[in-house]
Structure formats: C-alpha cells, structure tokens
Amino acid sequence: MTVTPAIPATMRAAVLHGPERLGIEERPVPAPGPGEVLIRVEAVGTCGSDVHYYRHGRIGDFVVREPLVLGHEAAGTVVACGPGADARRIGRRVSVEPGTPCGSCGECRPGRYNLCPDMRFLATPPVDGAFCEYLAVRQDFAHEVPDSLTIEEAALLEPLSVAVWACRKGRVAPGDRVLITGAGPIGLVAAQTARAFGARDVLVTDVLPHRLELARAVGATALDVSRTPLREAEYAPTVLLECSGVPAVSGEAIRTVARAGRVVLVGMGGDEVPLPLNRVQNYELELTGTFRYAHTWPTATALVESGAVRLDSLVSHGYGLAQAESALTVATHDETAVKAVIYPQR
C-alpha cells in the first residue's frame, strides 16, 4: 500500500505582487473539487513567461492586477482526490498539463482545446500557478508518468509538448530538413523532437556558444549566426521552427525556406514580424502560428521514455521555493543558464 505524507492545512507559495516584487507567503492548501486531484508539487520548471511576468507584470493583454503564483511546468505526487476522482491515483507520480479548457465550446468539441476562449491556464492572470507546495488540478490533466522518468523530466514534459505540437503543425516527417532558430529550452527540445519525427538533418542557430554546444550534444548541427549569417549558410530547410521570438530573426529565416516549405512560428517576441511576401508567394510557403498544445502528453512521455528525447540535460540550475526569485533571475548573470527548476518541498 502506498503511504503518502499527511496533508498540512497551509503551504508556502511564491507570490508575485508586481514587477520584481516576489515573496514567500503562507496560504491554505487547496481542497480538490469534483473530478480534481491534489498534487504534492515536487518540481517546477521556470519558463520565459514566468520571467516576463516577474520583470514586467504583464504579457500582452495578460496583466498581473492582483497577487499571482507563477509556474506552470509542474510534476509531483497525487495525495488526495476530490468527489468523483479516482482514489486509486493517490500515490501516483504525475506531470501536470497546465491548461483547463471548458470542454464544450466550438474549439473544444473538435479537439482544439488549446484554443478554448475560456481556458484557465496556470500562472496566467488571474489563475495561480505551481510555485507552491500543493496544487489542485482536474484529474484528466494530471498525466501519470512511468517510474523511469525523473521528477525533472516529468515537469519538463510541458515544454516538450510545445515542441511536439510545433512539429505536428509543421508536419515534420522522414526526410525533412529542419531549421530551428533559437537554442533556448524550446529550441533544444524541438531539435530532438524533429529528429524523433524523422528529420534527416536539423540545423539550430543561436549566438550563445554554450547553447550551441548543447544543440550539438543532442545531435543537431549548430550555427553561430553572430559569426556566420544564416543567409550565408546555404541551408534550405523544408520546415522552419522559429523558436527565438525575435522578429528580425523570423524574417531572415523565412527567406531561406525551400519551395513548398512550412514555417511554424513558435517563439513569442514582438507583435509583428517582417514578412518576406515575395518568398512566401513565389515559393508557396505555408505559415502558421502555435498556441500551447493539445493531446501531446502521451507522445511527449513516450519520447522521453524511449530515450529519443533527453530532458535532464536542460536542467542547469536548481532552487528551493524560498529561492524562487533567484531562479527567475539567474539568466541575467549566468549565460550558461538554460532551465532553472524549483523544488517546492525544499
């Protein structure tokens, strides 16, 4: 029989009150509602969106107007169940899919639940996230993970899902040549995912030597575009996964895509990008955006379990919950930072 720790009445949470105003507070442990499970959170990855909220207090139209708990890349252990939830899940290790759609709108019914207009997404105002010791989520969005995955890998199935969704949107298939702009966490997992989907070669661009070395370590060719401009590389990809979010990078990369190629805009940067319309029209390029993901956790889990994708190598720093602010700022003074993970139980 699985024995779980006693559930306390209160918990610690890292709460954002405004730009660069983050503190540790004591909050009640949430009670799981109907169909929900309570998770003892054991690892949470920090995302660029968390950093952006911390620095600026907003991302586009999403504004932090009241105290907000950040963090949406979470994993842990189920310790309690609400009414109607499966009690057999207590003691199981899970990875959290952080968005809860309505399930009944015109986007949810065909399966495009990532586009649900009533989506409640962890750490997106006004919904609290996972930089806390306990989290209640709908049981069907708490995905069980095999024992072979570390708790860090379980948490990072969320950014891997972004990469899986991007590769699906780009229809990456055997024989494709894939260009990935940006060797951040998403670019690095996208490179591995593209390989797993059958791409015959993958080129990753960036300007930071450490990140380019990580790209090489996962089997990609790396190009330092601060030394060799992309246009001089003579690489004509059939699929572009733009993960940098830098508008100028997007425009330059689109100009390299081969005829009938697919362009997937993954990174979030400026509101507008320079679009080389002649290239898009004359080469009949397909261009699409991505917004989160849908139905990706089984594939992401299988990719890690099989060894096709390595996630532990992304973890560059680890912090206890009380050091959440350090986790959000480490990249400002350490260029080797890739993915900082917070361990709320520490």
Side-chain angles (χ1 to χ4, degrees):
M1 183 176 77
T2 301
V3 178
T4 58
I7 302 169
T10 64
M11 66 177 185
R12 295 176 304 150
V15 184
L16 182 70
H17 288 266
E20 300 186 350
R21 294 170 52 211
L22 187 79
I24 303 300
E25 300 180 7
E26 200 77 9
R27 289 190 166 191
V29 170
E36 291 185 336
V37 295
L38 181 67
I39 298 168
R40 182 178 186 266
V41 183
E42 293 160 6
V44 192
T46 57
C47 174
S49 64
D50 297 316
V51 174
H52 203 86
Y53 279 125
Y54 170 77
R55 289 180 180 169
H56 306 288
R58 67 184 300 157
I59 296 178
D61 295 333
F62 296 105
V63 182
V64 179
R65 303 186 188 279
E66 55 190 45
L68 180 73
V69 178
L70 295 174
H72 62 267
E73 302 176 1
T77 301
V78 175
V79 294
C81 293
D86 186 354
R88 292 173 298 180
R89 304 198 66 189
I90 293 176
R92 305 284 179 85
R93 298 164 69 245
V94 295
S95 172
V96 176
E97 183 171 354
T100 303
C102 75
S104 60
C105 69
E107 302 300 335
C108 287
R109 288 196 303 274
R112 299 187 299 265
Y113 63 82
N114 58 310
L115 300 179
C116 173
D118 295 318
M119 174 74 78
R120 291 178 57 81
F121 199 88
L122 295 184
T124 298
V127 182
D128 282 330
F131 287 175
C132 55
E133 293 180 296
Y134 291 88
L135 181 69
V137 300
R138 219 169 76 185
Q139 70 170 351
D140 47 336
F141 287 87
H143 301 274
E144 293 185 18
V145 295
D147 291 340
S148 59
L149 268 64
T150 66
I151 199 64
E152 292 85 0
E153 288 173 324
L156 299 185
L157 291 178
E158 196 278 340
L160 176 54
S161 283
V162 174
V164 169
W165 190 247
C167 285
R168 286 179 181 173
K169 294 284 283 185
R171 303 195 305 281
V172 176
D176 273 322
R177 306 182 75 209
V178 178
L179 169 62
I180 296 173
T181 46
I186 297 300
L188 292 170
V189 293
Q192 298 180 71
T193 305
R195 277 288 196 189
F197 276 40
R200 65 185 172 98
D201 56 67
V202 177
L203 175 67
V204 177
T205 67
D206 208 292
V207 296
L208 296 178
H210 176 70
R211 294 197 172 191
L212 290 168
E213 194 57 43
L214 287 174
R216 294 186 188 97
V218 298
T221 302
L223 177 68
D224 185 341
V225 288
S226 69
R227 298 185 176 187
T228 304
L230 181 57
R231 63 181 178 276
E232 296 179 8
E234 298 184 353
Y235 189 81
T238 53
V239 180
L240 163 63
L241 304 180
E242 205 301 291
C243 298
S244 76
V246 179
V249 172
S250 302
E252 183 180 13
I254 291 170
R255 289 184 174 87
T256 70
V257 179
R259 297 177 190 276
R262 286 92 68 196
V263 176
V264 184
L265 302 179
V266 185
M268 297 180 67
D271 289 338
E272 298 181 359
V273 299
L275 184 66
L277 192 56
N278 282 343
R279 183 81 174 201
V280 172
Q281 290 185 320
N282 295 343
Y283 279 53
E284 289 198 348
L285 304 184
E286 298 179 36
L287 188 149
T288 184
T290 58
F291 188 62
R292 298 169 180 159
Y293 34 69
H295 310 292
T296 53
W297 252 256
T299 298
T301 303
L303 288 174
V304 178
E305 189 175 23
S306 70
V309 171
R310 294 161 39 211
L311 294 177
D312 275 354
S313 62
L314 299 181
V315 179
S316 58
H317 296 75
Y319 298 90
L321 187 62
Q323 290 77 47
E325 197 163 14
S326 296
L328 294 168
T329 58
V330 62
T332 63
H333 57 81
D334 186 349
E335 68 174 17
T336 68
V338 178
K339 177 67 70 172
V341 172
I342 292 173
Y343 300 94
Q345 303 302 322
R346 294 183 185 174

